[in-house]
Amino acid sequence: MERAKREEEAVFLRKKITLLRAFSLLVGSMVGSGIFISPKGVLKNSGNVGVSLIIWFACGILSLFGALCYAELATRITKSGGHYIYVLETLGPLPSFLFLWAEYFAIRPANSAVIALAFGRYVLEPFFTPCAAPPPAVKVVALLTYYIILTLNSWSVSWSARLQNVLTAIKLLALVLIIVPGMMLLGQGHTENFQDIFHSQSLALDKLPLAFYSGMFAYSGWFQTSFVREELIRPERNIPLAVIVSVVTVMVGYMLTNVSYYTVLTAEDVLASEAVAVSFAQKAFQRLVPVVPILVALSCFGTLNGGIFTFSRTLFVASREGQWPPLFSMIHIRRHTPLPAIMLMLPLVTVMVCIGDIYHLLNFFSFSRWLFIGLATFGLIIHRYRHPELPRPFKVPLFIPVSFTVICLFAVGMSFFSDPVYISIGCAIVLSGFPVYFLVVSRPIPDCCRTTFYYLTLKLQVLLEVVRQEIMTY
């Protein structure tokens, strides 16, 4: 009864996301830092070029399977919130809270830090070639960029969505500038870098889960429409269309991009490069060397914008479901943006940018992310059998969620042997959510604490409004 009352009184975001915006959000979230930094991680952990290309293709197929599963979940479960709401509705409140806990303290801040650092590196790398850009300068640029995007998402849903459309076009242009020269050189017979690409002496089977993490990171935006389900126009039609077209488009683009990379660069060049697209531009053509990293940096900008846009909706839905403080379900009365939810990530992302490294951060958050994505698709299987009466506007064959779940959970388990330190830290963060759930979430909050919290929240809102008026007056 209490949950039904909350749903009846809940606040909802307006429907402003069309099919084009959904496609732009998906492509804009997938194409970005991943394809420009992950080739090194995939190659390093797979051992040779041939296996790395197989992993890129396999990650594309796996992402398509996951996207189809999430499309079915989105047509069956009508709330926004992505992984969180799917785990909540299919597996219950404890797993969903553990995801929320890991998402806030590990997954999202580390993911945003990786993308922001990639942006900073690509912006500065051309100015310091042939040397690497100084890490402090990269981190300063990364933080400034993150703060700008945070401000934009706090200001307007429509403007951030329109910017995503523009940046998606720029991302595709960046891929074209890499694919076309590479295909031209390949057509001219430059195949020397593809000789003996399955060299077995360099094969690293124990590191394959980390190669999988790097590849899936590049595709990882395929689930973004599930975070904004309530804001989508005609979701039953637009979600399946958007995910299928966008994932297939990105998969083809990624395969051609990797072939172009290895047409121009040797495996040693890729492993030695801190910015693969910059190294590619230096060897492929001289005139456009400054253009390519700028377009790549804008691609990272778009990925970061899409990530902030969707994560704020997770906190918004979680607070509406009673598993996160009520402050984060509040919407700005004029801007119609979930302002408190957007601003919550600022301190953790700042810390991770300052102290983190791209590839260590990637391994750190990938464990938690793919664990809960696997649990969400496992929940789809359970939900089908528990609720056969629910309407199913879109349904995938059973082997798709089964195979996707098994592969995700297998890779998560094997990653303990590949990078035990950082994977163990990620696991510890997930497990630390257990006592918090049983001490705080599962038992009702005392009325005195609830009254005090609401009073402090009201005072904070009044203070922020006074500051805003002072700034406007000034």
Side-chain angles (χ1 to χ4, degrees), residues 51-176:
V51 175
S52 71
L53 291 175
I54 292 175
I55 288 175
W56 276 103
F57 181 76
C59 287
I61 297 297
L62 194 61
S63 297
L64 182 60
F65 280 13
L68 291 173
C69 294
Y70 269 52
E72 179 177 340
L73 282 166
T75 56
R76 293 169 68 92
I77 300 171
T78 59
K79 299 176 183 177
S80 295
H83 323 301
Y84 166 76
I85 203 67
Y86 298 155
V87 174
L88 174 65
E89 294 291 330
T90 60
L91 300 180
L94 175 57
S96 65
F97 177 79
L98 292 178
F99 165 75
L100 189 67
W101 185 260
E103 177 82 352
Y104 174 61
F105 285 103
I107 300 172
R108 187 58 60 174
N111 182 67
S112 298
V114 166
I115 300 169
L117 287 169
F119 175 89
R121 181 169 292 176
Y122 272 100
V123 165
L124 296 179
E125 199 74 26
F127 298 100
F128 293 91
T129 301
C131 300
V138 171
K139 292 178 179 181
V140 168
V141 172
L143 286 175
L144 289 176
T145 304
Y146 182 77
Y147 298 155
I148 290 171
I149 299 175
L150 208 66
T151 303
L152 175 65
N153 278 268
S154 302
W155 185 260
S156 170
V157 172
S158 297
W159 276 105
S160 58
R162 289 170 188 166
L163 176 65
Q164 196 69 23
N165 292 343
V166 175
L167 292 175
T168 298
I170 293 175
K171 291 167 186 278
L172 296 177
L173 177 60
L175 288 185
V176 168

Side-chain angles (χ1 to χ4, degrees), residues 187-267:
Q188 293 169 7
H190 293 272
T191 59
E192 57 274 9
N193 292 343
F194 293 97
Q195 304 298 321
D196 196 21
I197 59 174
F198 289 97
H199 187 55
S200 60
Q201 292 182 358
S202 58
L203 187 63
L205 293 176
D206 60 322
K207 298 291 184 181
L208 285 181
L210 301 184
F212 164 83
Y213 282 167
S214 293
M216 292 302 289
F217 170 69
Y219 286 98
S220 60
W222 52 260
F223 44 71
Q224 298 289 20
T225 51
S226 60
F227 290 91
V228 294
R229 201 274 184 198
E230 294 172 14
E231 298 171 79
L232 277 163
I233 299 170
R234 297 181 65 190
E236 294 80 8
R237 168 185 175 270
N238 290 341
I239 289 179
L241 277 176
V243 298
I244 292 171
V245 174
S246 60
V247 173
V248 171
T249 300
V250 171
M251 183 170 64
V252 172
Y254 279 5
M255 292 303 300
L256 293 176
T257 301
N258 276 282
V259 170
S260 295
Y261 280 148
Y262 292 117
T263 301
V264 175
L265 303 172
T266 64

Side-chain angles (χ1 to χ4, degrees), residues 430-444:
V430 174
L431 295 178
S432 68
F434 275 96
V436 178
Y437 176 81
F438 288 110
L439 292 174
V440 179
V441 179
S442 63
R443 57 177 62 182

Side-chain angles (χ1 to χ4, degrees), residues 33-41 114 118 122 217 274 276 358-359 362:
S33 58
I35 186 58
F36 305 117
I37 64 174
S38 289
K40 178 178 177 178
V114 166
Y122 272 100
F217 170 69
E274 293 296 329
V276 179
I358 285 181
Y359 295 103
L362 196 154

Side-chain angles (χ1 to χ4, degrees), residues 129 181 278-293:
T129 301
V278 173
S279 302
F280 174 89
Q282 290 169 349
K283 280 201 170 184
F285 35 70
Q286 294 296 325
R287 293 182 180 179
L288 293 178
V289 169
V291 176
V292 172

